C-alpha cells in the first residue's frame, strides 16, 4: 500500500448498531473503483441486498473521496455520499449527493478515503473522528438543534479547524427532502433523512496527517500550474461575460463576471475584481460571482468574497452580507451559496414588489438560505420551489390541504412576494407539520402519489422541468440537445452531470467549439449551437459516453464535475484547447499508478456499470430502455410550436431521440433493445462477478 | 563527553522539559555557553531565572517577508498546500509554514464565539498567519542546538535539519505559533521564504500574499494565544 501516493490508505467502517468501528485497506479492496462514488457503488452492490429501503438499518451511507482529495490538484474538494435514495420514486434506487467545503480534505488528513456508515444507533449519536481515534458520542443534547448550533458545539469540542457534517431537524424527522451539510452551507441533498433514520446527527472530523505525492515535487508543481492555467470560471466558462482588454470573445451568459468597476462591495475594504487576464493565476478567485449570476448585478454591493472548497481557486460559493435583510427579518447578515440555495430569490415567488432582480429577491434568498440551511431542507434542485408554485396557483394545494390548515398560512404574503412567508413554510416542512408541511417535504414522486396526482401531467409541463423518478432535469436538451437528454435518462435523481454543459456553455464561438470537438470526439458535428440543434450522429454519442464517464471519474477521484473536464481553456495561444488527459496526468503523478486517459475511462466505465447494475438489480428488471431511461413529454414540445431542429427551440424529435438512444447504447456496447449492459460489457470492465449475479437473476439481456 | 553524547543527553532532558512545561518554554529559560545550549534555568532553579540576561543571538537581517492581506483571502488553503507539496512532496497542511486552516472557520478566537467571530462562520475575514522573520527570532534563540539560523539568499530564519534534535522548543518559543513540525522526519520546520520566491505567494489565487522587503512586524503583532490552537504544535 505504501507504494501509492494520494490515497490515505484506509476505509473507516462504523456500525452504529453494534458500536463497532474498524478499518480496511483502500488499495487492497477498492483501487479498481478509485474511491468516491465508485467505492460507494461497490459497497452497496456487495453488501446491501435488493429490496432494502433507504431507512432500513441494512442500508449503508458511504462518504467517499478519491486520491486527489486533500492535495493541491485544483478543484478536489467535493465529498460524494452514496446511498439508497429516499426521494427516488416509486422504487428507491442508488443515488449520490455531493458536498463541498473542507470535509473531503479533512477526512483524508485523518487517514481515510471513505467512511461507511452501517446499521442504526439506538439513540441519537454523533461520530467523532480525530485521526485514528474514532468514537461514537451521545447526541441527545444536539437532537432537535439546527445544523448551525450542532456544528458550532462539535467544533468547540473537536477544534475550530475540524470539519463537521450535520443534519438538521428535517433529517431527524425523516423528511425525504433533507440534506447533510458542512462548512456553513455546503450541502449534499437527499442524504439527511437517511442519516436521521440511523440516529446519526453529525460526523466531526479532524485530521493532522499527510498525503504523499508519488511523483517528484517539481513535476507536481509544473502539472498543477498547467491545470490552473486551463481553468475558466465556475462551470468552466472560459470567456468573460463582458468585453475585456485581453479577451477575444465574451458571452453574457458566462459566470466569469469580473470586470474593472465591478467590486466585492461588502468586503471589509471593497475590492475591484478587475479584468482578470487568464494568464494571471493570482486572480482566478475574482472571476466568478454566482450571487451576481443568480440574483443580478444588485448582488455586487453585497458581495463579501468568493468562498468554496478546500484547494479550489474558483470560489464559486459566493459570500454575501445583507444587513437590511438581517434587520428586517432577524436573520444573520451573512449568507453563502453556489446555486440552488439562491433560488428562493429567483424561482419560488411569482414576483416581488420591486421586480424579479431587485432588493426583495435578495432578501428572499437570504431568508430561504438561512432557514433551509439550518433546518437542513433540500430543494431537489429547485423542484420544491417549482412544485410549490404550481400547486398553489393551480388550486391543488387548497383542495388537498384542509381548510383550517390552509388558513394558517399567510397566502397574501406569498402572492405579494413577501420573504417572511418562508418563516411560515420552511419550519413546517422540517417538522412535517400538517398536511402541507408533510407533503411538500416528500419530494415530487411521493407527493404526487400522496395527493393522487398524475406524474404524466408533470412530464408534460415545460415550466416544471420534471424528468422522472421524482426528480428534475439537470443540464439536458437546453444545454446540449440529445447529449443532455441521454445523460438525464441515466440516473436515479437529477443527473448532476456537467461534462457536456461545461463545454457547450463555455462561451467560445461555435466554430472554435467545433474545432475542439473534432479533436476530442472525432467530428465537429458532436456539438451544435444551443437552440439550433441538428439530428443525432455518432460523434454526439461519443461525446455523451465521454460526458458520463468523466462525471463518474471525477466523482470517484475527487475532481469537481461542476468545473471539469478541461478540454477547453481560456488561452488563445492554445487555440482555446484544454487538455483531455489532465485527469490521467494528475492521477498518475499523485498515486504513482500510471494510467492513460483510456485506462482511466475504463475505470470510469466500471464505476458507472456498477451504478447501472445496482439500478437493474433493485428495479428487478432489465428493461431499462422502456422502464428507466425515459424522457418527459415536454422535451418533445415547444411552447410556440416551433419544430425540432429549428432555430430558437430546444425541442427534440421523438424518432431522432430513439436513434440517439440506439447510438448511445451502441457506443456503450450495451443491448440496444433493453438498454441493459451485456455480459461482455461487464466482463470487459472486470465485472464478471456482477454479470454472474445479474445472470442468475435473469437480469442480463 | 563527546558531542554525540551531549546531544543525546540534551535532547532527552529538553524533551522532558518541553512536555512538563506544556508550551511555556521561552528563550529566557536558556543560556548559551561555548556554542552549546544547556538546559533552561527553570530546571536548575527558578531563582536563577530572574537574574538571567536573555541570550543574544545575532542573525543577519532577512531580506524579505511574506505580507498577508486578510481582506483579500478567499480561504482556499492553496498556500498551505503549495508550501508542503512543492517543498516537501506531500500535502500536509499541519506542517505548512503559512497557517490558514486554524483561522478559516471561526477566526483566531475559535468556535467559542459561534457566528460572532471571523472566518467562514463569522464576518468572512480569514487571517493568513505568516512568519515575521523576526530580527530577534525567538525560535532561533530558544533552540538548544543552534539549529535555526539565517540562510542566504533571503536570510530567512531556517531550521537546519541535520542539527535539529526534534525537541520542539522552538515550536513553543515562537510567540506567533508559526513553527511547524514534520512528524515524519521528527524535525522542526519553518518558513524559508523559498529562497526568495515563496511558493505560497505564487499559489494565492486572490493575490492576497506579497513578497516584500523585510520590515519589522514582530513588535506590532500580538502573540497568538496558546489556548486557542494547539494543532500546529
Amino acid at each position: 500500500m505504501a507504494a501509492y501516493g494520494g490515497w490515505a490508505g484506509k476505509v473507516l467502517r462504523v456500525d452504529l448498531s453494534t458500536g463497532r468501528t474498524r478499518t480496511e485497506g483502500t488499495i487492497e479492496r477498492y483501487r479498481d473503483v478509485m474511491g468516491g462514488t465508485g467505492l460507494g457503488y461497490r459497497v452497496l452492490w456487495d453488501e446491501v441486498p435488493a429490496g432494502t429501503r433507504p431507512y432500513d438499518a441494512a442500508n449503508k451511507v458511504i462518504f467517499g473521496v478519491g486520491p486527489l482529495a486533500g492535495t493541491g490538484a485544483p478543484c478536489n474538494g467535493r465529498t460524494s455520499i452514496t446511498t439508497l435514495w429516499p426521494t427516488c420514486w416509486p422504487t428507491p434506487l442508488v443515488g449520490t449527493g455531493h458536498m463541498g467545503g473542507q470535509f473531503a480534505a479533512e477526512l483524508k488528513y485523518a487517514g481515510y478515503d471513505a467512511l461507511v456508515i452501517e446499521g442504526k444507533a439506538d439513540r441519537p449519536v454523533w461520530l467523532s473522528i480525530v485521526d485514528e481515534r474514532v468514537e461514537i458520542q451521545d447526541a441527545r443534547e444536539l437532537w432537535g438543534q439546527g445544523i448551525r448550533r450542532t456544528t458550532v458545539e462539535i467544533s468547540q469540542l473537536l477544534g475550530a479547524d475540524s470539519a463537521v457534517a450535520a443534519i438538521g431537524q428535517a433529517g431527524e424527522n425523516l423528511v425525504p427532502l433533507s440534506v447533510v451539510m458542512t462548512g456553513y452551507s455546503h450541502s449534499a441533498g437527499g442524504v439527511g433523512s437517511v442519516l436521521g433514520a440511523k440516529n446519526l446527527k453529525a460526523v466531526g472530523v479532524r485530521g493532522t496527517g499527510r498525503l504523499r505525492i508519488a511523483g517528484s515535487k517539481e513535476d507536481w508543481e509544473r502539472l498543477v500550474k498547467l491545470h490552473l492555467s486551463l481553468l475558466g470560471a465556475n462551470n468552466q466558462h472560459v470567456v468573460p461575460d463582458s468585453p475585456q482588454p485581453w479577451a477575444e470573445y465574451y458571452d453574457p451568459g458566462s459566470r466569469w463576471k469580473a470586470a474593472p468597476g465591478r467590486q466585492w462591495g461588502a468586503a471589509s475594504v471593497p475590492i475591484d475584481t478587475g479584468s482578470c487576464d487568464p494568464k494571471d493565476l493570482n486572480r482566478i478567485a475574482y472571476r466568478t460571482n454566482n450571487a451576481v449570476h443568480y440574483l443580478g448585478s444588485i448582488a455586487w454591493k453585497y458581495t463579501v468574497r468568493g468562498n468554496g472548497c478546500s484547494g479550489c481557486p474558483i470560489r464559486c460559493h459566493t459570500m454575501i452580507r445583507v444587513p437590511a435583510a438581517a434587520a428586517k427579518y432577524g436573520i444573520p447578515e451573512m449568507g453563502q451559496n453556489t446555486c440552488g440555495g439562491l433560488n428562493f430569490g429567483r424561482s419560488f415567488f411569482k414576483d416581488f414588489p420591486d421586480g424579479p432582480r431587485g432588493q426583495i429577491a435578495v432578501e428572499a434568498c437570504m431568508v430561504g438560505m438561512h432557514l433551509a440551511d439550518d433546518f437542513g431542507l433540500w430543494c431537489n434542485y429547485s423542484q420544491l420551489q417549482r412544485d410549490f408554485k404550481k400547486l398553489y396557483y393551480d388550486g391543488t394545494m387548497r383542495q388537498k390541504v384542509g381548510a383550517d390548515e390552509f388558513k394558517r398560512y399567510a397566502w397574501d404574503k406569498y402572492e405579494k412576494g413577501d420573504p417572511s412567508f418562508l418563516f411560515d413554510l420552511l419550519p413546517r416542512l422540517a417538522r412535517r407539520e400538517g398536511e402541507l408541511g408533510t407533503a411538500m417535504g416528500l419530494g415530487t414522486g411521493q407527493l404526487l402519489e400522496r395527493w393522487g396526482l398524475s406524474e404524466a401531467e408533470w412530464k408534460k409541463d415545460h415550466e416544471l422541468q420534471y424528468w422522472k423518478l421524482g426528480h428534475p432535469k439537470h443540464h439536458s436538451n437546453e444545454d446540449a440537445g440529445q447529449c443532455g437528454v441521454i445523460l438525464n435518462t441515466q440516473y436515479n435523481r437529477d443527473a448532476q452531470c456537467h461534462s457536456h454543459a461545461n463545454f457547450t456553455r463555455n462561451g467560445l464561438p461555435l466554430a472554435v467549439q467545433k474545432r475542439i470537438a473534432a479533436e476530442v470526439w472525432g467530428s465537429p458535428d458532436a456539438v451544435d449551437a444551443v437552440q439550433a440543434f441538428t439530428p443525432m450522429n455518432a460523434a454526439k454519442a461519443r461525446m455523451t459516453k465521454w460526458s458520463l464517464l468523466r462525471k463518474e471519474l471525477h466523482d470517484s477521484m475527487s475532481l469537481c464535475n461542476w468545473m471539469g473536464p478541461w478540454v477547453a481553456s481560456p488561452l488563445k495561444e492554445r487555440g482555446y484547447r484544454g487538455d483531455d488527459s489532465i485527469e490521467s496526468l494528475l492521477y498518475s503523478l499523485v498515486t504513482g499508478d500510471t494510467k492513460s486517459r483510456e485506462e482511466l475511462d475504463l475505470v470510469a466505465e466500471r464505476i458507472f456499470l456498477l451504478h447501472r447494475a445496482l439500478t437493474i438489480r433493485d428495479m428487478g428488471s432489465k428493461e431499462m430502455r422502456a422502464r428507466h431511461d425515459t424522457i418527459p413529454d415536454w422535451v418533445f414540445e415547444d411552447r410556440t410550436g416551433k419544430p425540432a431542429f429549428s432555430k430558437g427551440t430546444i425541442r427534440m424529435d421523438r424518432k431522432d431521440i430513439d436513434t440517439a438512444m440506439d447510438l448511445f447504447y451502441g457506443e456503450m456496447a450495451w443491448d440496444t433493445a433493453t438498454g441493459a449492459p451485456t455480459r461482455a460489457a461487464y466482463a470487459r470492465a472486470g465485472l464478471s462477478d456482477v454479470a454472474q449475479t445479474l445472470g442468475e437473476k435473469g437480469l442480463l439481456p | 563527553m563527546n558531542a554525540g553524547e551531549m546531544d543525546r543527553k540534551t535532547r532527552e532532558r529538553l524533551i522532558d522539559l518541553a512536555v512538563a512545561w506544556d508550551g511555556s518554554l521561552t528563550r529566557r529559560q536558556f543560556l548559551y555557553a561555548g556554542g552549546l545550549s544547556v538546559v533552561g534555568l527553570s530546571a536548575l532553579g527558578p531563582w536563577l531565572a530572574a537574574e538571567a540576561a536573555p541570550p543574544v543571538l545575532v542573525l543577519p537581517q532577512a531580506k524579505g517577508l511574506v505580507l498577508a492581506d486578510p481582506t483579500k483571502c478567499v480561504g482556499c488553503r492553496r498556500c498551505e498546500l503549495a508550501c508542503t507539496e512543492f517543498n516537501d512532496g506531500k500535502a500536509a497542511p499541519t506542517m505548512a509554514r503559512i497557517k490558514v486552516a486554524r483561522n478559516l472557520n471561526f477566526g483566531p478566537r475559535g468556535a467559542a464565539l459561534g457566528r460572532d467571530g471571523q472566518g467562514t462562520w463569522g464576518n468572512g475575514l480569514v487571517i493568513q498567519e505568516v512568519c515575521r522573520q523576526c530580527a530577534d527570532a525567538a525560535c532561533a534563540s530558544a533552540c538548544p542546538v543552534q539549529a535555526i539560523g539565517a540562510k542566504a539568499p533571503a536570510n530567512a530564519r531556517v531550521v537546519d535539519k541535520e542539527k535539529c534534535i526534534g525537541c520542539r522548543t522552538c515550536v513553543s518559543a515562537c510567540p506567533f505559533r508559526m513553527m511547524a513540525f514534520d512528524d515524519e522526519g521528527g524535525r522542526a520546520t519553518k518558513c524559508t521564504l523559498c529562497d526568495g520566491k515563496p511558493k505560497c505567494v505564487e499559489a494565492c489565487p486572490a493575490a492576497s500574499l506579497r513578497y516584500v522587503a523585510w520590515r519589522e512586524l514582530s513588535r506590532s503583532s500580538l502573540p497568538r494565544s496558546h489556548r486557542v490552537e494547539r494543532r500546529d504544535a
Side-chain angles (χ1 to χ4, degrees), chain B residues 22-146:
Chain B
D22 191 27
S24 62
L25 213 58
T26 76
R27 66 193 180 92
R28 285 181 178 273
Q29 291 158 326
F30 289 91
L31 286 177
Y32 283 79
L36 288 171
S37 64
V38 296
V39 74
L41 286 175
S42 290
L44 301 174
W47 62 91
L48 287 174
E51 305 299 321
V56 176
L57 186 64
V58 178
L59 297 174
Q61 182 177 298
K63 293 186 177 165
L65 56 74
V66 175
L67 193 64
D69 179 352
T71 70
K72 291 164 95 176
C73 179
V74 292
C76 68
R77 302 173 65 186
R78 291 200 65 79
C79 51
E80 292 181 336
L81 291 163
C83 177
T84 66
E85 287 189 350
F86 302 157
N87 283 305
D88 308 280
K90 53 191 172 186
T94 49
M95 65 171 276
R97 298 82 170 180
I98 177 167
K99 298 187 186 297
V100 172
R102 65 193 188 187
N103 297 331
L104 182 65
N105 291 329
F106 297 96
R109 297 181 68 184
L113 294 181
R115 271 202 304 240
D116 294 326
Q118 297 175 349
T120 295
W121 279 71
N123 64 4
L125 196 73
V126 177
I127 294 179
Q128 323 93 311
E129 294 185 82
V130 292
C131 174
R132 279 79 168 166
Q133 306 296 343
C134 304
D136 181 14
C139 56
S141 298
C143 179
V145 293
Q146 289 183 302

Side-chain angles (χ1 to χ4, degrees), chain A residues 585-639:
Chain A
L585 296 171
L586 290 165
Y587 171 85
S588 300
L589 208 51
V590 160
T591 63
D593 175 30
T594 302
K595 275 195 164 47
S596 67
R597 183 178 61 183
E598 292 76 16
E599 287 171 312
L600 275 190
D601 282 346
L602 184 61
V603 174
E605 193 164 347
R606 179 180 306 133
I607 292 166
F608 188 70
L609 279 168
L610 281 168
H611 182 281
R612 194 75 167 169
L614 274 164
T615 303
I616 289 170
R617 185 193 73 178
D618 290 0
M619 283 180 70
S621 171
K622 64 187 175 191
E623 300 299 330
M624 298 297 280
R625 184 167 190 158
R627 296 191 51 204
H628 180 273
D629 299 350
T630 58
I631 299 159
D633 297 330
W634 62 261
V635 169
F636 304 109
E637 285 158 15
D638 183 278
R639 280 167 288 191

